[in-house]
Amino acid sequence: MNAFRAILVRDLRLALRQGGDAAAVVLFFVLAASLFPFGVGPEPNLLARVAAGVIWVTALLAVMLGLDRLFLADHEDGSLEGMVASPAPMLVIVLAKCLAQWLLSGLPLVLATPILAIFLQLPAEGLPALLGALLLGTPTLVLVGAIGAALVLGARRGGVLLALLVLPLTVPVLIFGVAAADAAIAGLPARPHLLVLGAMLLAALAAAPFAAAAALRQAVE
Amino acid sequence: MVMHRFANPARFLRFAAVALPWFSAAAVLCMAAGLAFGLFVSPADYQQGETVRIMYVHVPSAWMAMFAYTVVAGGSISALVWKHPLGEIVARAAAPIGTGFTLVCLVTGALWGKPMWGAWWVWDARLTSVLVLFFLYLGYMALLGAFDDPVRGGRAASILAIVGLVNVPIIKWSVDWWNTLHQPASVARMDGPAIHSSMLVPLLLMAAGFACYFAAVLLLRVRAEVAARRIRTLRLAAMEAES
Amino acid sequence: MIDRLAAFLAMGGHGGFVWGAYATAAIVLLAILAASLLRVQREERALQRLAEAGGRRGGRARGPAGPAA
């Protein structure tokens, strides 16, 4: 538990000292989503229909954007070897790093979503469901992404490779995330979709740290 | 150390030398018979007309695409868990063949979909999950080649293959649900036992032919991979001897 | 005879789709087969050369500066 808190605090403090990482991710999120009205046209009904999907896809890409740095700095300065060698279990370390990553690049997206909902004419009934779906879905994205981030450590063109590996695995989250908002807009219960997203988060919490830890161990060998 | 590493592959190579001609001959015979039945003997479907003949390459390639992925994932598991020296070699050798089958499945599916559904592509549950499978294959192979140290690439790709295996049923199940939310299933459903024997015979013959082709090419690629590894070890030994 | 052949090739007006599907399968499968055969030939020949070179040097294997596998 101490190791968990130590790593969490260290990562957050490092990110805050460097500053701007979370802000850059949110800025990308808002900017990329604001491009869609130019792409599909500013017609309000059309925007309202695609808003939930646009917000989800750009959130997904924004999370990806920050992921390649998840273990990279620690790998380069050698502190990852220290972590693998330390008595604290690898799972705890991975979980702490994922939580820090989510606080820095997942939570800000959720907080910025209402602004985009206004920009993209998302019907008001859909907003709570969309926020709930993002709250449950983005941690899953970070956890799945952590596997990819650990796998591409030391690889050539790691950033592009990471997207190639992780994006196909995020399809289920995207499907249920958008379905929750669409159901709420159509006046149907969003609960079943949110429950599935919750189940996927629990499954990712249980399985992803193992895979990421295995990948990290072979990366420092 | 070297002996231990190649003890198993050596036995495997002996098996391959015996099995390769048999698999090759069986592949050629089954595919030739399957083509003869599929193109000449079997009738046109009363609903789908002549396009039903696309099924005889489309469905077997879909089966083999999934089977090859289980071979990749199985090999990866045996490499990571039991440190079986052949596991990774087999996984590495099966991946490009599986990618080829997946590509055939996607392209023939589009060629079947255009006359039947009026569209090259629809976001149907099956199509989507096969597309994801294709990306998983590409990711696996990209990761294999992304490291200067081939051992490291092999291990990273093995982990990815296993993660992908967990994800395949999830994708299948989630897109099934996703699709039914938007539109009723539009895929031409083929209930196994209901298919007429005049179509089942060429289908199974082609499937057997594809399976034998897979086995034969897999053996070839394993042979190449084992040779490549031997070359690597010999070069390493030479470098050590010189230094 | 020619008519029957033409009808067979036309595949009820969907000839392009049916033959396109079979051609795709044939091209992809043959390409993979050819690539695999070439690779086996290249690797095994390189291995043989390496082993011969090693034998001549009294057990010391030394590789030519060919492309690494």
Side-chain angles (χ1 to χ4, degrees):
Chain A
M1 213 54 228
N2 277 335
F4 184 86
R5 200 175 319 130
I7 289 185
L8 181 63
V9 169
R10 169 179 161 276
D11 273 20
L12 289 178
R13 196 174 287 158
L14 270 176
L16 290 181
R17 194 181 306 153
Q18 284 163 359
D21 271 12
V25 168
V26 172
L27 203 60
F28 169 82
F29 179 52
V30 174
L31 263 176
S34 328
L35 290 178
F36 277 83
F38 301 105
V40 300
E43 209 257 310
N45 285 334
L46 178 65
L47 283 181
R49 226 166 56 75
V50 299
V54 167
I55 291 174
W56 253 108
V57 171
T58 38
L60 186 73
L61 295 177
V63 169
M64 281 305 116
L65 201 64
L67 267 177
D68 63 329
R69 292 193 316 274
L70 182 53
F71 301 112
L72 198 59
D74 290 339
H75 183 62
E76 278 168 354
D77 68 11
S79 50
L80 196 63
E81 271 130 61
M83 289 178 197
V84 173
S86 80
M90 237 7 233
L91 298 182
V92 172
I93 294 169
V94 171
L95 278 174
K97 290 199 74 78
C98 286
L99 180 58
Q101 178 74 14
W102 182 73
L103 288 174
L104 290 168
S105 77
L107 192 58
L109 299 183
V110 182
L111 297 178
T113 297
I115 304 168
L116 281 183
I118 295 171
F119 277 6
L120 295 172
Q121 321 279 348
L122 182 82
E125 313 86 85
L127 187 57
L130 181 62
L131 289 177
L134 281 168
L135 271 178
L136 287 168
T138 43
T140 317
L141 298 181
V142 170
L143 283 164
V144 174
I147 306 174
L151 284 177
V152 301
L153 279 180
R156 293 186 292 268
R157 298 180 305 278
V160 186
L161 194 56
L162 177 67
L164 178 60
L165 301 186
V166 174
L167 286 179
L169 303 179
T170 58
V171 169
V173 177
L174 187 62
I175 288 173
F176 286 103
V178 177
D182 281 350
I185 292 169
L188 298 167
R191 223 173 98 87
H193 305 293
L194 294 177
L195 286 177
V196 173
L197 281 173
M200 287 199 282
L201 175 57
L202 288 178
L205 267 176
F210 277 101
L216 285 178
R217 254 182 240 117
Q218 57 95 24
V220 298
E221 251 172 34
Chain B
M1 195 275 250
V2 171
M3 276 322 287
H4 162 73
R5 197 184 286 171
F6 292 122
N8 262 318
R11 208 184 316 147
F12 185 86
L13 286 185
R14 277 200 301 279
F15 162 75
V18 177
L20 188 57
W22 290 100
F23 277 129
S24 314
V28 171
L29 283 179
C30 285
M31 280 197 226
L35 282 178
F37 270 93
L39 290 175
F40 302 106
V41 179
S42 87
D45 188 71
Y46 74 98
Q47 259 183 331
Q48 308 210 354
E50 302 281 356
T51 54
V52 76
R53 300 189 200 282
I54 296 176
M55 176 175 79
Y56 306 132
V57 285
H58 176 72
V59 173
S61 59
W63 288 344
M64 290 315 295
M66 287 184 282
F67 177 70
Y69 192 82
T70 53
V71 170
V72 172
S76 300
I77 291 172
S78 76
L80 280 185
V81 179
W82 299 292
K83 314 268 181 238
H84 198 293
L86 259 181
E88 196 199 305
I89 298 180
V90 168
R92 209 181 256 257
I97 319 174
T99 317
F101 279 125
T102 317
L103 183 66
V104 170
C105 179
L106 286 170
V107 174
T108 56
L111 287 167
W112 198 3
K114 183 65 183 164
M116 284 302 104
W117 304 333
W120 296 106
W121 182 266
V122 290
W123 287 99
D124 165 271
R126 286 236 174 134
L127 277 74
T128 313
S129 42
V130 172
L131 186 66
V132 171
L133 183 67
F134 188 61
F135 287 137
L136 283 176
Y137 272 122
L138 292 184
Y140 175 86
M141 292 196 298
L143 198 55
L144 265 186
F147 294 91
D148 294 325
D149 174 12
V151 178
R152 168 102 172 71
R155 267 197 231 128
S158 298
I159 295 175
L160 178 74
I162 296 168
V163 173
L165 186 65
V166 175
N167 203 58
V168 166
I170 299 176
I171 290 165
K172 183 112 192 57
W173 160 77
S174 69
V175 293
D176 257 321
W177 200 356
W178 170 62
N179 185 45
T180 47
L181 280 176
H182 287 265
Q183 61 182 81
S186 55
V187 71
R189 256 217 309 279
M190 191 186 74
D191 296 317
I195 183 173
H196 193 263
S197 65
S198 66
M199 292 182 177
L200 194 59
V201 167
L203 184 61
L204 291 182
L205 276 172
M206 285 304 276
F210 276 26
C212 290
Y213 167 90
F214 175 73
V217 178
L218 183 70
L219 291 179
L220 272 179
R221 299 192 73 89
V222 168
R223 246 172 68 185
E225 194 66 44
V226 170
R229 278 179 190 223
R230 250 180 215 162
I231 291 172
R232 230 159 32 222
T233 340
L234 282 177
R235 286 212 175 123
L236 229 63
M239 267 195 284
E240 272 163 18
E242 259 160 46
S243 61
Chain C
M1 187 63 204
I2 298 289
D3 286 354
R4 277 181 59 194
L5 183 67
F8 175 68
L9 288 179
M11 280 285 164
H14 293 307
F17 297 108
V18 175
W19 296 118
Y22 278 82
T24 310
I27 290 169
V28 171
L29 294 190
L30 286 176
I32 293 176
L33 179 66
S36 307
L37 280 172
L38 281 176
R39 176 139 189 260
V40 167
Q41 206 178 27
R42 203 182 57 220
E43 302 285 5
E44 288 186 345
R45 204 170 278 167
L47 180 63
Q48 208 175 359
R49 265 205 312 273
L50 209 57
E52 278 167 10
R56 272 204 305 278
R57 274 162 226 269
R60 252 180 46 181
R62 187 161 184 276

